[in-house]
Amino acid sequence: MRALWPQAHHGLDPWALYRPDDPDAPLLRLNMVAGVDGAATDRHGHTAELGGPGDWEVFRTLRAQADVVLVGAGTARREGYGPARLRRDLAARRRDDLGRARRPAIVLVSRSLALDPASPIFAEADPPTAVLTCAGASAQRRARLEPVATVLTAGGDHVDLVDGLARIRQVMGPMITCEGGPSLNASLLRAGVVDELCVTLAPQLVGVPSAPRLAGGLDEPAALSLRQVAIDDTGELYLRYRLAHREGAGDAHG
Ligand SMILES: NC(=O)c1ccc[n+]([C@@H]2O[C@H](COP(=O)([O-])OP(=O)(O)OC[C@H]3O[C@@H](n4cnc5c(N)ncnc54)[C@H](OP(=O)(O)O)[C@@H]3O)[C@@H](O)[C@H]2O)c1
């Protein structure tokens, strides 16, 4: 991988490329892959055929740098999410360097709580997977999840993401990597809580008109400020943006 902008740099380690300037500062990153036509899913409605090995490397790096991996329940169901497993070198040496716990916790966002308590994302998770929901969620489904997950409640009839993120940070730490999907991304952007957008631009046109975009349904455009551009030999571009309205907040000085 090599950086193209703002400075050209060959043989760059993704860890260095994405390392937060201040690991203790609150930071919420959205990490997504998309085709050049903006499609956020491949022709099968998954992401497997979109990202190459470089994207996988960035995905694992951003995961390994975070205290928390935030995921929409739709993505967890569609992509068959399991617990966050890290490559050994990223897990031990490098998480230590940032002062992180051994592994990040996964937090699923769900209003319906239509989640299987027996699935590996709960049964095999260490630390335990958490679920962020709201008071209006089904009491019966909540009761089924409580023995296997930390269930956090924020908001009445809808999940209050501002309050929810504050609760998550209090318990789990300041740095959150959100792995989508598009509906959750849009909610987070509308709530004004996203600091960074890390996008892998895959060198393909998916060509499925109904494929979702990175953020499905914003009330108004969100201005982005380009922070860095990197590339690898496969032609994947790695773009890192700062949300313009978050310039100057938290970890903004890299
Ligand atoms: N290109 C990429 O990098 C990437 C990344 C991730 C996903 N994807 C793709 O995106 C597709 C899934 O899209 P999606 O929009 O359905 O994903 P999503 O945002 O992960 O899932 C939507 C579901 O998550 C929960 N949710 C999201 N925002 C919420 C909020 N503000 N409050 C309460 N619950 C909330 C709800 O779950 P409940 O229904 O349980 O209430 C909602 O139905 C999949 O095909 C996946 O492959 C692509």
Short mmCIF file of all heavy atoms in Angstrom, two decimals, residues 4 16 29 37-38 57 63-64 88 99 112 151 178 188 197 224 227 250:
data_model
loop_
_atom_site.label_atom_id
_atom_site.label_comp_id
_atom_site.label_asym_id
_atom_site.label_seq_id
_atom_site.Cartn_x
_atom_site.Cartn_y
_atom_site.Cartn_z
N LEU A 4 -0.72 8.43 -1.42
CA LEU A 4 -0.59 9.34 -2.57
C LEU A 4 -0.71 10.79 -2.14
O LEU A 4 -0.13 11.68 -2.74
CB LEU A 4 -1.71 9.07 -3.59
CG LEU A 4 -1.77 7.68 -4.22
CD1 LEU A 4 -2.99 7.57 -5.12
CD2 LEU A 4 -0.50 7.42 -5.02
N ALA A 16 -0.03 2.42 10.44
CA ALA A 16 0.51 3.78 10.55
C ALA A 16 -0.39 4.77 9.81
O ALA A 16 -0.63 5.89 10.28
CB ALA A 16 1.92 3.82 9.96
N ARG A 29 -15.45 6.35 13.48
CA ARG A 29 -15.11 6.16 12.08
C ARG A 29 -16.15 5.27 11.43
O ARG A 29 -16.50 4.22 11.99
CB ARG A 29 -13.80 5.39 11.95
CG ARG A 29 -12.58 6.20 12.19
CD ARG A 29 -11.36 5.30 12.17
NE ARG A 29 -10.18 6.13 12.06
CZ ARG A 29 -8.96 5.70 12.31
NH1 ARG A 29 -8.76 4.44 12.68
NH2 ARG A 29 -7.94 6.50 12.19
N ASP A 37 -19.38 2.91 -9.05
CA ASP A 37 -20.74 3.42 -9.26
C ASP A 37 -21.48 3.66 -7.94
O ASP A 37 -22.67 3.92 -7.93
CB ASP A 37 -21.55 2.50 -10.18
CG ASP A 37 -21.58 1.04 -9.70
OD1 ASP A 37 -21.00 0.74 -8.63
OD2 ASP A 37 -22.16 0.20 -10.41
N GLY A 38 -20.78 3.58 -6.83
CA GLY A 38 -21.36 3.92 -5.53
C GLY A 38 -22.04 2.75 -4.83
O GLY A 38 -22.51 2.90 -3.70
N GLU A 57 -7.40 -5.88 4.75
CA GLU A 57 -6.33 -5.42 5.65
C GLU A 57 -6.75 -4.13 6.38
O GLU A 57 -6.57 -4.00 7.58
CB GLU A 57 -5.08 -5.19 4.79
CG GLU A 57 -3.83 -4.77 5.53
CD GLU A 57 -3.14 -5.93 6.22
OE1 GLU A 57 -3.45 -7.09 5.88
OE2 GLU A 57 -2.32 -5.67 7.11
N ARG A 63 -10.61 -2.19 12.77
CA ARG A 63 -11.19 -2.98 13.85
C ARG A 63 -10.20 -3.06 15.03
O ARG A 63 -10.57 -2.85 16.18
CB ARG A 63 -11.40 -4.38 13.32
CG ARG A 63 -12.55 -5.07 13.92
CD ARG A 63 -12.82 -6.31 13.16
NE ARG A 63 -14.23 -6.35 12.87
CZ ARG A 63 -14.93 -7.44 12.85
NH1 ARG A 63 -14.38 -8.60 13.03
NH2 ARG A 63 -16.23 -7.39 12.62
N ALA A 64 -8.96 -3.36 14.69
CA ALA A 64 -7.95 -3.58 15.73
C ALA A 64 -7.60 -2.29 16.47
O ALA A 64 -7.10 -2.34 17.58
CB ALA A 64 -6.70 -4.20 15.12
N ARG A 88 -3.08 -12.01 15.23
CA ARG A 88 -2.35 -12.04 16.49
C ARG A 88 -1.45 -10.82 16.69
O ARG A 88 -1.41 -10.22 17.74
CB ARG A 88 -1.53 -13.33 16.60
CG ARG A 88 -1.09 -13.60 18.02
CD ARG A 88 -0.53 -14.98 18.18
NE ARG A 88 -1.52 -15.99 17.85
CZ ARG A 88 -1.23 -17.26 17.63
NH1 ARG A 88 0.01 -17.67 17.69
NH2 ARG A 88 -2.17 -18.12 17.36
N GLY A 99 -3.21 1.38 24.10
CA GLY A 99 -3.85 1.27 25.41
C GLY A 99 -5.22 0.62 25.34
O GLY A 99 -6.10 0.90 26.16
N SER A 112 -35.61 -3.82 16.67
CA SER A 112 -36.52 -4.98 16.74
C SER A 112 -36.03 -6.06 17.71
O SER A 112 -36.81 -6.88 18.18
CB SER A 112 -36.66 -5.62 15.35
OG SER A 112 -35.49 -6.34 15.01
N VAL A 151 -27.22 -5.58 27.27
CA VAL A 151 -28.23 -4.83 26.53
C VAL A 151 -28.27 -3.40 27.08
O VAL A 151 -28.56 -3.18 28.25
CB VAL A 151 -29.62 -5.50 26.63
CG1 VAL A 151 -30.64 -4.72 25.81
CG2 VAL A 151 -29.55 -6.95 26.13
N CYS A 178 -17.37 2.00 13.07
CA CYS A 178 -18.67 1.49 12.62
C CYS A 178 -18.49 0.83 11.27
O CYS A 178 -17.96 1.43 10.34
CB CYS A 178 -19.69 2.62 12.54
SG CYS A 178 -21.27 2.04 11.86
N LEU A 188 -26.41 7.67 11.93
CA LEU A 188 -25.28 8.28 12.65
C LEU A 188 -24.92 9.64 12.04
O LEU A 188 -24.63 10.59 12.76
CB LEU A 188 -24.06 7.34 12.59
CG LEU A 188 -24.18 6.03 13.38
CD1 LEU A 188 -23.09 5.05 12.96
CD2 LEU A 188 -24.12 6.28 14.88
N LEU A 197 -14.85 9.21 7.72
CA LEU A 197 -15.38 8.22 6.77
C LEU A 197 -14.19 7.61 6.05
O LEU A 197 -13.43 8.33 5.39
CB LEU A 197 -16.30 8.95 5.79
CG LEU A 197 -16.97 8.13 4.70
CD1 LEU A 197 -17.84 7.03 5.30
CD2 LEU A 197 -17.83 9.05 3.83
N LEU A 224 -17.61 16.76 3.20
CA LEU A 224 -16.46 15.98 3.65
C LEU A 224 -15.18 16.74 3.34
O LEU A 224 -15.10 17.44 2.34
CB LEU A 224 -16.42 14.63 2.94
CG LEU A 224 -17.66 13.74 3.07
CD1 LEU A 224 -17.52 12.53 2.17
CD2 LEU A 224 -17.84 13.31 4.52
N ARG A 227 -8.78 13.78 3.78
CA ARG A 227 -7.65 13.79 4.69
C ARG A 227 -6.47 12.98 4.14
O ARG A 227 -5.33 13.37 4.32
CB ARG A 227 -8.11 13.22 6.03
CG ARG A 227 -7.10 13.36 7.10
CD ARG A 227 -7.67 13.05 8.46
NE ARG A 227 -6.57 12.96 9.40
CZ ARG A 227 -6.69 12.60 10.64
NH1 ARG A 227 -7.87 12.30 11.13
NH2 ARG A 227 -5.64 12.54 11.42
N GLY A 250 -12.07 16.49 18.65
CA GLY A 250 -11.38 15.23 18.97
C GLY A 250 -10.09 15.06 18.19
O GLY A 250 -9.25 15.93 18.16
#
